[in-house]
mmCIF file of all heavy atoms in Angstrom:
data_model
loop_
_atom_site.group_PDB
_atom_site.id
_atom_site.type_symbol
_atom_site.label_atom_id
_atom_site.label_comp_id
_atom_site.label_asym_id
_atom_site.label_seq_id
_atom_site.Cartn_x
_atom_site.Cartn_y
_atom_site.Cartn_z
ATOM 1 N N GLN T 406 134.565 -29.608 62.655
ATOM 2 C CA GLN T 406 134.786 -28.200 62.754
ATOM 3 C C GLN T 406 136.275 -28.024 63.139
ATOM 4 O O GLN T 406 136.921 -28.725 63.927
ATOM 5 C CB GLN T 406 134.049 -27.581 63.912
ATOM 6 C CG GLN T 406 132.461 -27.758 63.707
ATOM 7 C CD GLN T 406 131.651 -27.354 64.940
ATOM 8 O OE1 GLN T 406 131.345 -28.113 65.839
ATOM 9 N NE2 GLN T 406 131.331 -26.034 64.956
ATOM 10 N N LYS T 407 136.934 -26.996 62.486
ATOM 11 C CA LYS T 407 138.355 -26.732 62.671
ATOM 12 C C LYS T 407 138.516 -26.145 64.038
ATOM 13 O O LYS T 407 137.709 -25.284 64.570
ATOM 14 C CB LYS T 407 138.830 -25.761 61.556
ATOM 15 C CG LYS T 407 140.390 -25.696 61.617
ATOM 16 C CD LYS T 407 140.907 -25.001 60.407
ATOM 17 C CE LYS T 407 142.418 -24.909 60.371
ATOM 18 N NZ LYS T 407 142.849 -24.197 59.164
ATOM 19 N N PHE T 409 141.919 -25.199 66.778
ATOM 20 C CA PHE T 409 143.336 -25.258 67.058
ATOM 21 C C PHE T 409 144.168 -25.926 65.967
ATOM 22 O O PHE T 409 145.067 -26.704 66.172
ATOM 23 C CB PHE T 409 143.641 -25.956 68.371
ATOM 24 C CG PHE T 409 143.250 -25.088 69.588
ATOM 25 C CD1 PHE T 409 142.107 -25.297 70.316
ATOM 26 C CD2 PHE T 409 144.032 -24.014 69.992
ATOM 27 C CE1 PHE T 409 141.672 -24.500 71.317
ATOM 28 C CE2 PHE T 409 143.643 -23.151 71.108
ATOM 29 C CZ PHE T 409 142.445 -23.466 71.830
ATOM 30 N N GLY T 410 143.730 -25.613 64.716
ATOM 31 C CA GLY T 410 144.552 -26.246 63.661
ATOM 32 C C GLY T 410 144.203 -27.640 63.265
ATOM 33 O O GLY T 410 144.637 -28.143 62.244
ATOM 34 N N GLN T 466 143.464 -27.489 72.926
ATOM 35 C CA GLN T 466 144.632 -26.669 72.751
ATOM 36 C C GLN T 466 145.907 -27.484 73.171
ATOM 37 O O GLN T 466 146.944 -27.361 72.486
ATOM 38 C CB GLN T 466 144.521 -25.404 73.501
ATOM 39 C CG GLN T 466 144.449 -25.503 75.016
ATOM 40 C CD GLN T 466 144.430 -24.155 75.733
ATOM 41 O OE1 GLN T 466 145.403 -23.382 75.515
ATOM 42 N NE2 GLN T 466 143.475 -23.917 76.505
ATOM 43 N N GLU T 651 143.008 -27.410 97.023
ATOM 44 C CA GLU T 651 142.197 -26.605 97.937
ATOM 45 C C GLU T 651 141.241 -25.711 97.218
ATOM 46 O O GLU T 651 141.506 -25.006 96.301
ATOM 47 C CB GLU T 651 143.113 -25.780 98.807
ATOM 48 C CG GLU T 651 142.495 -25.073 99.964
ATOM 49 C CD GLU T 651 142.028 -26.078 100.971
ATOM 50 O OE1 GLU T 651 142.658 -27.060 101.200
ATOM 51 O OE2 GLU T 651 140.940 -25.886 101.529
ATOM 52 N N TYR T 653 138.731 -26.457 95.206
ATOM 53 C CA TYR T 653 138.147 -26.878 93.909
ATOM 54 C C TYR T 653 137.029 -27.908 94.183
ATOM 55 O O TYR T 653 137.033 -28.724 95.031
ATOM 56 C CB TYR T 653 139.189 -27.447 92.983
ATOM 57 C CG TYR T 653 140.053 -26.367 92.365
ATOM 58 C CD1 TYR T 653 141.254 -26.019 93.041
ATOM 59 C CD2 TYR T 653 139.683 -25.814 91.165
ATOM 60 C CE1 TYR T 653 142.028 -24.987 92.482
ATOM 61 C CE2 TYR T 653 140.551 -24.841 90.660
ATOM 62 C CZ TYR T 653 141.666 -24.386 91.346
ATOM 63 O OH TYR T 653 142.448 -23.454 90.778
ATOM 64 N N ASP T 654 135.990 -27.855 93.255
ATOM 65 C CA ASP T 654 134.746 -28.741 93.432
ATOM 66 C C ASP T 654 134.846 -29.817 92.352
ATOM 67 O O ASP T 654 135.940 -30.187 91.815
ATOM 68 C CB ASP T 654 133.503 -27.955 93.366
ATOM 69 C CG ASP T 654 133.207 -27.296 91.994
ATOM 70 O OD1 ASP T 654 133.943 -27.595 90.990
ATOM 71 O OD2 ASP T 654 132.247 -26.497 91.920
ATOM 72 N N SER T 656 133.374 -29.892 89.282
ATOM 73 C CA SER T 656 132.896 -29.399 87.931
ATOM 74 C C SER T 656 133.987 -29.338 86.965
ATOM 75 O O SER T 656 135.134 -29.540 87.173
ATOM 76 C CB SER T 656 132.273 -28.049 88.159
ATOM 77 O OG SER T 656 133.377 -27.094 88.322
ATOM 78 N N GLN T 661 139.151 -27.978 83.902
ATOM 79 C CA GLN T 661 139.810 -27.128 82.919
ATOM 80 C C GLN T 661 141.035 -26.485 83.556
ATOM 81 O O GLN T 661 142.022 -26.175 82.919
ATOM 82 C CB GLN T 661 138.981 -26.064 82.237
ATOM 83 C CG GLN T 661 138.333 -25.035 83.176
ATOM 84 C CD GLN T 661 137.496 -24.049 82.394
ATOM 85 O OE1 GLN T 661 137.782 -22.860 82.393
ATOM 86 N NE2 GLN T 661 136.503 -24.505 81.671
ATOM 87 N N SER T 662 140.926 -26.307 84.901
ATOM 88 C CA SER T 662 142.099 -25.717 85.680
ATOM 89 C C SER T 662 143.345 -26.578 85.641
ATOM 90 O O SER T 662 144.447 -26.079 85.869
ATOM 91 C CB SER T 662 141.658 -25.353 87.063
ATOM 92 O OG SER T 662 140.557 -24.475 87.118
ATOM 93 N N GLN M 432 132.591 -20.998 92.022
ATOM 94 C CA GLN M 432 133.423 -22.169 91.876
ATOM 95 C C GLN M 432 134.844 -21.728 91.614
ATOM 96 O O GLN M 432 135.129 -20.913 90.704
ATOM 97 C CB GLN M 432 132.910 -23.013 90.667
ATOM 98 C CG GLN M 432 131.480 -23.561 90.896
ATOM 99 C CD GLN M 432 130.918 -24.305 89.700
ATOM 100 O OE1 GLN M 432 130.338 -23.659 88.869
ATOM 101 N NE2 GLN M 432 131.180 -25.608 89.610
ATOM 102 N N LYS M 433 135.745 -22.410 92.218
ATOM 103 C CA LYS M 433 137.161 -22.109 92.008
ATOM 104 C C LYS M 433 137.623 -22.587 90.529
ATOM 105 O O LYS M 433 137.248 -23.637 90.133
ATOM 106 C CB LYS M 433 138.077 -22.755 92.976
ATOM 107 C CG LYS M 433 139.519 -22.158 93.037
ATOM 108 C CD LYS M 433 140.220 -22.655 94.421
ATOM 109 C CE LYS M 433 141.707 -22.104 94.370
ATOM 110 N NZ LYS M 433 142.356 -22.613 95.614
ATOM 111 N N PHE M 435 141.150 -22.052 87.946
ATOM 112 C CA PHE M 435 142.434 -21.346 87.631
ATOM 113 C C PHE M 435 142.935 -20.422 88.757
ATOM 114 O O PHE M 435 143.446 -19.289 88.570
ATOM 115 C CB PHE M 435 142.431 -20.652 86.276
ATOM 116 C CG PHE M 435 142.489 -21.631 85.083
ATOM 117 C CD1 PHE M 435 141.239 -21.806 84.408
ATOM 118 C CD2 PHE M 435 143.568 -22.268 84.713
ATOM 119 C CE1 PHE M 435 141.275 -22.711 83.333
ATOM 120 C CE2 PHE M 435 143.530 -23.160 83.693
ATOM 121 C CZ PHE M 435 142.391 -23.323 82.950
ATOM 122 N N GLY M 436 142.682 -20.839 89.955
ATOM 123 C CA GLY M 436 143.142 -20.079 91.101
ATOM 124 C C GLY M 436 142.211 -18.855 91.473
ATOM 125 O O GLY M 436 142.428 -18.241 92.456
ATOM 126 N N GLN M 492 141.693 -19.338 81.780
ATOM 127 C CA GLN M 492 143.110 -19.511 81.892
ATOM 128 C C GLN M 492 143.864 -18.330 81.546
ATOM 129 O O GLN M 492 144.914 -18.005 82.198
ATOM 130 C CB GLN M 492 143.462 -20.736 81.243
ATOM 131 C CG GLN M 492 143.376 -20.624 79.792
ATOM 132 C CD GLN M 492 144.060 -21.877 78.969
ATOM 133 O OE1 GLN M 492 145.169 -22.238 79.150
ATOM 134 N NE2 GLN M 492 143.220 -22.600 78.186
ATOM 135 N N GLU M 677 141.477 -19.501 57.674
ATOM 136 C CA GLU M 677 141.068 -20.562 56.759
ATOM 137 C C GLU M 677 140.484 -21.762 57.452
ATOM 138 O O GLU M 677 141.107 -22.297 58.353
ATOM 139 C CB GLU M 677 142.338 -20.917 55.992
ATOM 140 C CG GLU M 677 141.955 -21.817 54.734
ATOM 141 C CD GLU M 677 141.150 -21.060 53.688
ATOM 142 O OE1 GLU M 677 141.378 -19.933 53.484
ATOM 143 O OE2 GLU M 677 140.211 -21.718 53.142
ATOM 144 N N TYR M 679 137.942 -22.064 59.430
ATOM 145 C CA TYR M 679 137.217 -21.982 60.794
ATOM 146 C C TYR M 679 135.764 -21.507 60.484
ATOM 147 O O TYR M 679 135.520 -20.723 59.602
ATOM 148 C CB TYR M 679 137.929 -21.044 61.755
ATOM 149 C CG TYR M 679 139.175 -21.641 62.384
ATOM 150 C CD1 TYR M 679 140.388 -21.553 61.661
ATOM 151 C CD2 TYR M 679 139.074 -22.348 63.450
ATOM 152 C CE1 TYR M 679 141.523 -22.137 62.203
ATOM 153 C CE2 TYR M 679 140.266 -22.868 64.058
ATOM 154 C CZ TYR M 679 141.414 -22.769 63.378
ATOM 155 O OH TYR M 679 142.629 -23.321 63.933
ATOM 156 N N ASP M 680 134.862 -22.012 61.368
ATOM 157 C CA ASP M 680 133.438 -21.619 61.362
ATOM 158 C C ASP M 680 132.975 -20.635 62.354
ATOM 159 O O ASP M 680 133.791 -19.862 62.822
ATOM 160 C CB ASP M 680 132.556 -22.940 61.317
ATOM 161 C CG ASP M 680 132.535 -23.625 62.634
ATOM 162 O OD1 ASP M 680 133.103 -23.097 63.647
ATOM 163 O OD2 ASP M 680 131.938 -24.739 62.733
ATOM 164 N N SER M 682 131.629 -21.223 65.346
ATOM 165 C CA SER M 682 131.339 -21.824 66.649
ATOM 166 C C SER M 682 132.406 -21.443 67.719
ATOM 167 O O SER M 682 133.383 -20.771 67.501
ATOM 168 C CB SER M 682 131.389 -23.328 66.439
ATOM 169 O OG SER M 682 132.634 -23.803 66.274
ATOM 170 N N GLN M 687 137.601 -20.613 70.818
ATOM 171 C CA GLN M 687 138.530 -21.092 71.756
ATOM 172 C C GLN M 687 139.981 -21.168 71.108
ATOM 173 O O GLN M 687 140.946 -21.077 71.773
ATOM 174 C CB GLN M 687 138.167 -22.355 72.448
ATOM 175 C CG GLN M 687 138.163 -23.532 71.542
ATOM 176 C CD GLN M 687 137.759 -24.876 72.270
ATOM 177 O OE1 GLN M 687 138.532 -25.804 72.431
ATOM 178 N NE2 GLN M 687 136.601 -24.928 72.938
ATOM 179 N N SER M 688 139.999 -21.363 69.794
ATOM 180 C CA SER M 688 141.281 -21.423 69.051
ATOM 181 C C SER M 688 142.038 -20.175 69.090
ATOM 182 O O SER M 688 143.212 -20.127 68.848
ATOM 183 C CB SER M 688 141.037 -21.876 67.611
ATOM 184 O OG SER M 688 140.453 -23.137 67.602
#
Side-chain angles (χ1 to χ4, degrees):
Chain T
Q406 300 173 268
K407 194 167 181 182
F409 286 102
Q466 63 174 304
E651 190 63 37
Y653 286 90
D654 70 6
S656 73
Q661 65 177 242
S662 299
Chain M
Q432 299 172 271
K433 194 166 179 181
F435 287 102
Q492 63 174 303
E677 191 63 39
Y679 286 90
D680 68 6
S682 73
Q687 65 177 244
S688 299

